[in-house]
Amino acid sequence: MSRAPKTHLIRDTNDRAALDLMLSDGPVTKTRLGELVGLSKVTAGQLLTRLGDRGLVQVVGTQQGGRGPNAALYGVVPSAGYVAALHIGPDQITASVADITGTELATGELDPHEASDPVEAVRATVANATERAGITIEQLRCLSIGTPGMIDPRTGDIRFANDLPDWRAGVLEDLRRSFQRPILIENDVNLAGLAEQSAGATHGVKDSVLAWIDRGLGLAVIVDGRLHRGAGGGAGEIGYLAVPGASTPHGTDSPQHAAFQSLVSVEAMDTLARAFGLSGDGVGCVRSAVEGDPDAEPFLDELARRLALGLAGICVVLDPELCVLAGEVGRAGGEVLAARVQKAIASLGPNVPTVVPTAISGDPVLRGALQIGLDTARDEVFSNQG
């Protein structure tokens, strides 16, 4: 390798390290940046000048020092790039727009039934959110989408989504053709798992699973710190898991009335609550049990037993350190349900993870989508300028 290409590589590496540092730690002085990145004060100054010329860094304030004038604080320019993230559901599409620093600028919503096809639905939702954010669609660097169903890890396109019949193979190309910029589609539960890993209960945990218990079921699998999608993108489709007490699923038909999902989905819990003579929906009964309603205690015990039937088998295969209960049910059950599920798992096998409720507030799918969108946008913005 000649000296010039090697010099450029070192410079580019240092530039990216400095930008990532400012994104994670906030504004820094030239002296502090040099200390953290391992550069002399002169080299750190040259780096900041270079990034400033590229429109990536600016002075955002000053810091009082000892003797002499105050030191300038440098931070990433928020308007260097923007991303939009979407959570696609059967009854609602939610969008979030953020700048390159990750600061959310606006949100938007749309009833998917108001649009004729997925591209129109996405475009309408994004247009609404970008308008509220005070930017245009053309200023977006990336669009990331979380959706139910299986995503082909080789192509990034949807294989199938039972709850979203219009979202099928070919949607990714249609979206890229319409927006003319990077488009990412990821399974919604996987995104919830990434959000949990980034800033939730599994942060710093190498091996974990997140069980999404809601209208449908899903599992995000983190192995050795990395999301595991499987050869065909179907890792974590636990709704199809054959368990005692449930009928056997057939092919890719929705497992709503078969397999693990037929025992613990929101719909199944409604039925279970009625079987225990409780009024109201199943999620409400979970909340009642957590709040100490003695009439709802047996219902919660049975729900924990049912959840353990599926999760114990998963733990035998994967042996995770941590199992997170998420989705509407996981959030409603909190620590009370998590403790009962852990106890029930312990009675069924040798591998017993710590079971905890999700630590992510708001919409974890949208948060995870924003995370992968920012990763892509930053790679493009930080490497393709200059």
Side-chain angles (χ1 to χ4, degrees):
M1 179 182 290
S2 66
R3 181 177 179 82
K6 185 176 181 179
T7 301
H8 281 296
L9 177 62
I10 294 173
R11 185 193 69 182
D12 292 345
T13 300
N14 288 336
D15 287 357
R16 183 59 190 265
L19 289 163
D20 288 341
L21 180 69
M22 283 182 269
L23 287 171
S24 62
D25 293 5
V28 293
T29 64
K30 176 173 60 179
T31 300
R32 183 57 176 160
L33 179 66
E35 292 171 351
L36 293 172
V37 181
L39 304 174
S40 70
K41 189 173 182 179
V42 171
T43 304
Q46 294 171 340
L47 179 153
L48 289 168
T49 298
R50 188 164 59 245
L51 294 179
D53 291 342
R54 292 169 58 187
L56 298 179
V57 166
Q58 63 186 2
V59 176
V60 296
T62 59
Q63 183 179 80
Q64 187 174 3
R67 300 175 182 177
N70 292 343
L73 285 169
Y74 295 86
V76 174
V77 177
S79 60
Y82 301 94
V83 300
L86 290 92
H87 179 185
I88 310 294
D91 303 314
Q92 179 175 279
I93 299 176
T94 308
S96 173
V97 173
D99 63 37
I100 202 71
T101 69
T103 300
E104 186 178 69
L105 304 177
T107 59
E109 295 178 355
L110 179 77
D111 182 341
H113 303 102
E114 295 177 4
S116 60
D117 60 68
V119 173
E120 181 186 334
V122 169
R123 181 165 283 279
T125 312
V126 172
N128 176 265
T130 51
E131 182 180 1
R132 291 183 180 183
I135 66 170
T136 65
I137 290 179
E138 288 70 30
Q139 289 176 272
L140 295 175
R141 291 285 185 160
C142 179
L143 184 65
S144 51
I145 299 170
T147 174
M150 293 187 189
I151 312 300
D152 190 327
R154 294 159 295 190
T155 65
D157 206 355
I158 291 178
R159 286 179 57 196
F160 69 86
N162 285 320
D163 282 345
L164 302 171
D166 291 335
W167 285 73
R168 55 190 179 277
V171 165
L172 179 60
E173 183 57 36
D174 292 342
L175 288 167
R176 286 175 174 167
R177 190 180 304 112
S178 175
F179 283 90
Q180 294 296 302
R181 56 199 13 85
I183 305 288
L184 308 173
I185 301 178
E186 181 57 271
N187 172 266
D188 52 0
V189 179
N190 282 345
L191 291 174
L194 289 175
E196 202 77 47
Q197 182 190 37
S198 174
T202 60
H203 181 68
V205 178
K206 292 182 65 176
D207 299 296
S208 66
V209 295
L210 177 142
W212 184 266
I213 314 152
D214 208 295
R215 173 173 173 165
L217 297 186
L219 190 79
V221 180
I222 303 294
V223 177
D224 199 21
R226 299 176 64 86
L227 178 67
H228 178 72
R229 296 179 176 85
E237 292 293 334
I238 58 172
Y240 293 93
L241 188 65
V243 294
S247 58
T248 304
H250 298 282
T252 59
D253 292 343
S254 173
Q256 185 174 359
H257 301 294
F260 191 32
Q261 183 161 325
S262 70
L263 294 182
V264 295
S265 68
V266 168
E267 181 180 346
M269 277 187 290
D270 291 345
T271 302
L272 182 63
R274 289 193 295 271
F276 276 88
L278 303 175
S279 59
D281 61 80
V283 175
C285 292
V286 170
R287 294 192 182 98
S288 295
V290 169
E291 292 167 1
D293 181 357
D295 292 336
E297 291 276 327
F299 159 80
L300 196 67
D301 285 335
E302 174 60 16
L303 174 60
R305 186 193 71 81
R306 290 185 177 196
L307 285 168
L309 285 176
L311 296 177
I314 291 164
C315 293
V316 168
V317 175
L318 297 177
D319 191 19
E321 176 184 345
L322 203 65
C323 173
V324 177
L325 303 184
E328 189 177 13
V329 176
R331 194 183 301 277
E335 295 283 356
V336 175
L337 177 61
R340 296 186 187 209
V341 170
Q342 181 172 327
K343 182 178 179 180
I345 291 175
S347 71
L348 296 173
N351 298 344
V352 186
T354 300
V355 182
V356 298
T358 177
I360 297 295
S361 59
D363 185 341
V365 177
L366 198 61
R367 188 162 177 172
L370 196 60
Q371 179 180 322
I372 65 169
L374 283 168
D375 288 344
T376 297
R378 288 167 179 169
D379 285 343
E380 179 184 314
V381 171
F382 296 162
S383 64
N384 288 355
Q385 297 188 40

